[in-house]
Amino acid sequence: MSVGSMLSDLLSQASESKNYVIRETGIDRSTFYQILRGNRIATEDQIERICEYIHPDAATYDKLIDCYEEERVDAKTYQNRQYVKQFFNSLSEEETAGRHTREGQQIAAFLERETAAGAERFRLFLPSISRRTADVFQAMENSAPDNEKAPEILQLLAEEGSRRGAAGKYPKFKDWFFHLKGKTIRFHAYSLGKPMTGLNTVAFPYYIIGGTGMLLISYNEKQIVEVQDPGIVNAYRDNFDHILKDGEEIASTETDYISIMQFFYRNWLTIGREPVYLLTPRPCAWLCSTDEMVRKYMQEDEFVSYGQTFRNLNVREFTTQNGMEAFFMDSRIHEAGVDLRIDPEDMKKVRATINEHRDRITFLLDDRRVRVHKEWQMFLIGRQAAVFVPYERTNYMIRFTNRDVVDPLADWFESRVTSLNNDIIRKRVREKTIT
């Protein structure tokens, strides 16, 4: 259903006449009827003005705004925005590690032997959505819990046909987050954007290469054959490394705190005034703290410098209503490795600053529509990279640089700031509804 037809139906049920709504909203009569007939796309201001007088319920208003967004952009952009929201919501779902299947047990035994034998790198060629990646991560966590000894994983994603964009990759990202969050695994994922060519066969197109051996995996991932012949293993390894040169890195992990900070500084300094979008389960204290307050509690110049850099950026923060309420009720600030009790008067100042930032710097997400993982926060640095770090520790980073990932995220955030939508709880909409 279109915006025009929805408004027409709502007006026919409203107690006020169309002439009354036209007069009170100040919308040109010709424009008003063109919108109702679907000959003209309404602006967000026109929709809000009309809704002031027809009083739709929350569910109808949400549906109306969904229709508005779909009409304002092309189908691909609208779908990408929906995929981004689905991605955020899927990350917030609680999961527990499942037991290994028979095939998973075979993979685990292979990885444990290879790790014990000193393998420093594993090469994976698996489908973009693979049930075996989780088996690999679980086995790696068990066989190499010490980060200093953990081998590195290189995964080349098998993509049959052209790239599938956000829709094809986000389901796999959910698995990555579940198994990588705060763990010791060093991981890099690459995309070719085209079908793989080389040594892989029709019966066993996928594989996992260790130090001295490898596993061949069937198309349905239910049959696994172990190979120890050095000639075959080396041929597959050489072919993998050769093809990887043409791959584009999609994601990587970093576990060194200093390297994480250097990455942020390096990228922040290169993007100028381009927006940095922050998705966080609770408001970010760095955005609303003064230098004096940081010195009072941290007493370290490096934290003062970090706070200054952060506040000087063109940051747009997205947090949740539940997170905002929890922050306002708390007397501590615990994020980015900091856990401090704050004086009541200082907390009042922080809360006042957050309220001043509403709808300018800080945007409140509707928890019914967008759920944010309580353990992760995300920095979207311009259109260069999306970086996820644990909210409380900031000692681990998953970085996405692929444009198929970053661009849909950037579009979603930009549209949340600039356009009418029902993912954001805005003061002006709420105040009008109350009135």
Side-chain angles (χ1 to χ4, degrees):
M1 183 176 288
S2 68
V3 171
S5 59
M6 283 195 68
L7 288 174
S8 182
D9 289 345
L10 290 169
L11 283 162
S12 65
Q13 300 168 22
S15 57
E16 308 293 355
S17 67
K18 292 179 182 177
N19 286 334
Y20 176 83
V21 174
I22 291 172
R23 183 172 63 252
E24 294 299 315
T25 59
I27 300 174
D28 177 77
R29 178 177 295 274
S30 174
T31 300
F32 185 87
Y33 280 101
Q34 286 183 52
I35 291 172
L36 298 189
R37 288 193 294 266
N39 297 330
R40 183 171 186 153
I41 298 176
T43 66
E44 57 186 89
D45 179 65
Q46 289 167 341
I47 292 176
E48 285 190 348
R49 279 191 278 167
I50 294 172
C51 285
E52 284 185 60
Y53 296 96
I54 59 178
H55 308 295
D57 58 42
T60 303
Y61 181 80
D62 282 349
K63 188 175 181 181
L64 180 64
I65 302 308
D66 274 337
C67 289
Y68 165 79
E69 278 207 89
E70 192 169 6
E71 287 185 6
R72 297 293 293 185
V73 298
D74 60 87
K76 181 179 179 182
T77 300
Y78 180 77
Q79 286 181 342
N80 275 338
R81 290 178 184 177
Q82 297 305 308
Y83 292 140
V84 168
K85 193 156 54 178
Q86 291 170 17
F87 170 52
F88 290 147
N89 290 342
S90 70
L91 288 184
S92 69
E93 296 171 0
E94 297 295 330
E95 294 193 48
T96 56
R99 297 180 61 184
H100 278 311
T101 61
R102 179 178 61 82
E103 295 82 7
Q105 292 172 354
Q106 186 176 355
I107 291 174
F110 169 78
L111 293 175
E112 288 171 5
R113 290 197 307 272
E114 291 287 315
T115 302
E120 297 181 353
R121 176 173 290 178
F122 287 93
R123 296 164 173 83
L124 280 59
F125 177 63
L126 294 171
S128 297
I129 303 175
S130 170
R131 72 189 77 180
R132 298 302 160 214
T133 300
D135 291 325
V136 172
F137 287 158
Q138 280 186 258
M140 292 296 290
E141 291 169 17
N142 296 332
S143 61
D146 185 354
N147 185 61
E148 296 298 322
K149 300 177 182 178
E152 185 176 35
I153 296 177
L154 302 180
Q155 180 171 356
L156 184 58
L157 300 181
E159 299 180 72
E160 295 73 15
S162 60
R163 290 182 181 178
R164 291 179 291 172
K169 294 189 173 66
Y170 284 157
K172 172 50 54 190
F173 292 167
K174 178 183 176 181
D175 293 340
W176 290 350
F177 275 86
F178 174 54
H179 290 284
L180 292 176
K181 59 183 179 185
K183 302 294 175 56
T184 61
I185 297 173
R186 295 179 294 164
F187 176 70
H188 299 269
Y190 299 85
S191 170
L192 284 179
K194 59 183 180 181
M196 180 81 156
T197 58
L199 301 175
N200 43 332
T201 64
V202 175
F204 293 90
Y206 311 123
Y207 54 81
I208 300 173
I209 305 174
T212 59
M214 68 177 294
L215 298 178
L216 292 175
I217 302 174
S218 66
Y219 187 81
N220 62 8
E221 301 187 75
K222 291 185 178 181
Q223 291 180 287
I224 299 176
V225 176
E226 185 170 346
V227 177
Q228 291 292 338
D229 186 304
I232 297 176
V233 175
N234 289 333
Y236 270 88
R237 183 184 293 113
D238 291 344
N239 184 61
F240 182 97
D241 292 344
H242 174 73
I243 294 176
L244 193 63
K245 295 176 182 178
D246 296 327
E248 179 182 4
E249 187 175 65
I250 296 176
S252 63
T253 61
E254 179 61 67
T255 57
D256 178 67
Y257 178 76
I258 300 300
S259 296
I260 293 172
M261 296 309 300
Q262 288 176 345
F263 170 81
F264 281 128
Y265 282 127
R266 183 171 62 250
N267 283 274
W268 282 344
L269 292 173
T270 60
I271 63 175
R273 297 306 298 168
E274 194 172 356
V276 173
Y277 295 105
L278 171 61
L279 181 74
T280 180
R282 289 161 64 116
C284 177
W286 294 106
L287 279 175
C288 47
S289 302
T290 63
D291 293 347
E292 290 73 21
M293 191 179 297
V294 175
R295 286 193 181 94
K296 177 179 178 180
Y297 292 98
M298 302 302 298
Q299 299 177 347
E300 295 183 31
D301 290 339
E302 62 178 303
F303 285 100
V304 175
S305 176
Y306 174 65
Q308 289 173 340
T309 301
F310 200 72
R311 288 191 297 276
N312 288 334
L313 295 171
N314 189 15
V315 175
R316 298 291 181 268
E317 178 189 33
F318 292 76
T319 190
T320 68
Q321 186 171 19
N322 289 337
M324 180 80 79
E325 293 172 357
F327 185 89
F328 275 24
M329 293 176 62
D330 205 347
S331 61
R332 305 184 71 88
I333 290 178
H334 41 87
E335 63 177 276
V338 174
D339 187 0
L340 298 169
R341 180 172 292 279
I342 307 299
D343 291 342
E345 288 302 314
D346 288 334
M347 281 301 293
K348 285 183 181 178
K349 295 177 183 178
V350 170
R351 293 164 185 156
T353 303
I354 292 175
N355 281 325
E356 291 173 4
H357 287 175
R358 276 287 306 273
D359 293 344
R360 293 189 303 106
I361 296 175
T362 300
F363 296 86
L364 202 58
L365 293 171
D366 187 336
D367 295 277
R368 298 172 305 150
R369 299 181 61 83
V370 183
R371 299 185 299 276
V372 180
H373 199 293
K374 61 183 179 181
E375 296 182 17
W376 289 97
Q377 59 182 341
M378 190 201 80
F379 297 84
L380 183 65
I381 303 174
R383 288 183 178 262
Q384 297 186 30
V387 180
F388 286 80
V389 295
Y391 174 70
E392 293 188 1
R393 298 184 306 278
T394 319
N395 62 343
Y396 191 81
M397 174 176 74
I398 303 179
R399 176 178 60 195
F400 298 94
T401 53
N402 183 270
R403 298 303 295 269
D404 289 345
V405 179
V406 175
D407 283 348
L409 285 170
D411 180 73
W412 186 86
F413 280 109
E414 290 171 2
S415 66
R416 302 308 90 174
V417 172
T418 60
S419 302
L420 180 67
N421 58 75
N422 48 4
D423 296 339
I424 303 294
I425 302 174
R426 299 185 190 275
K427 284 184 178 179
R428 56 192 173 96
V429 173
R430 184 180 60 185
E431 289 166 356
K432 286 182 179 180
T433 303
I434 292 175
T435 303

